[in-house]
Amino acid sequence: MKIVFKTLLLWLACIGFVLAKPNLGGFKPEQVCQAAIASLQGVDLKKVDNYRSDQPLMQMRVRHNGQSTSFYCQLEGDQALWRRAQDSRWQTTTTVRFHYNSSGKQLIIKHYLAAAQLAEYRYRGEDF
């Protein structure tokens, strides 16, 4: 009986882990954050560098017009949480959600203001 109970608990824990982790479809968490920050800043992916990665918190650096700005990004469920490095609070006005489209092998980033979708960006593996 104890073996059955332990096996059941282990099985439930595994299912919980799989359900909690989003399907990135081969994209790395750093690439999701890179795409999220690039889309928010209106710059090309190549202008966003993964400066430091201490999972789950990643620091991205955006180079644009001769200037450099740092951002923090963290994945939580299907959201990319973000803030400027000098700010202490996560940005909540614009929500950034992501998902993987397996048929097109694309990472899709969407910006929301409350329930209204503001923008959508699509990235392929070769874009990185």
Side-chain angles (χ1 to χ4, degrees):
M1 187 67 170
K2 286 184 179 180
I3 293 173
V4 172
F5 182 70
K6 287 181 180 179
T7 304
L8 180 61
L9 283 177
L10 182 62
W11 183 76
L12 289 173
C14 289
I15 287 177
F17 179 73
V18 169
L19 291 177
K21 190 173 181 180
N23 178 9
L24 300 179
F27 290 96
K28 297 175 186 170
E30 293 87 354
Q31 290 174 317
V32 174
C33 279
Q34 181 182 8
I37 298 299
S39 66
L40 284 162
Q41 294 302 301
V43 298
D44 184 75
L45 280 174
K46 306 287 188 216
K47 295 192 180 237
V48 180
D49 297 322
N50 182 16
Y51 182 61
R52 287 190 189 122
S53 184
D54 187 20
Q55 295 285 339
L57 187 65
M58 292 163 265
Q59 187 173 4
M60 302 283 152
R61 183 173 40 205
V62 178
R63 292 171 285 112
H64 185 62
N65 293 335
Q67 305 233 347
S68 178
T69 308
S70 290
F71 292 87
Y72 285 107
C73 178
Q74 181 174 325
L75 303 184
E76 190 173 284
D78 69 342
Q79 272 191 309
L81 304 176
W82 63 281
R83 67 180 170 90
R84 288 178 181 80
Q86 67 266 25
D87 297 339
S88 59
R89 294 173 37 165
W90 295 104
Q91 296 296 315
T92 57
T93 52
T94 302
T95 303
V96 179
R97 296 195 182 278
F98 63 90
H99 72 276
Y100 171 69
N101 175 345
S102 59
S103 63
K105 296 183 181 177
Q106 295 177 326
L107 174 64
I108 301 170
I109 304 283
K110 294 182 180 181
H111 299 187
Y112 291 91
L113 181 60
Q117 182 178 325
L118 301 175
E120 178 177 308
Y121 301 86
R122 294 175 180 262
Y123 302 97
R124 294 182 177 277
E126 57 267 14
D127 295 335
F128 296 91

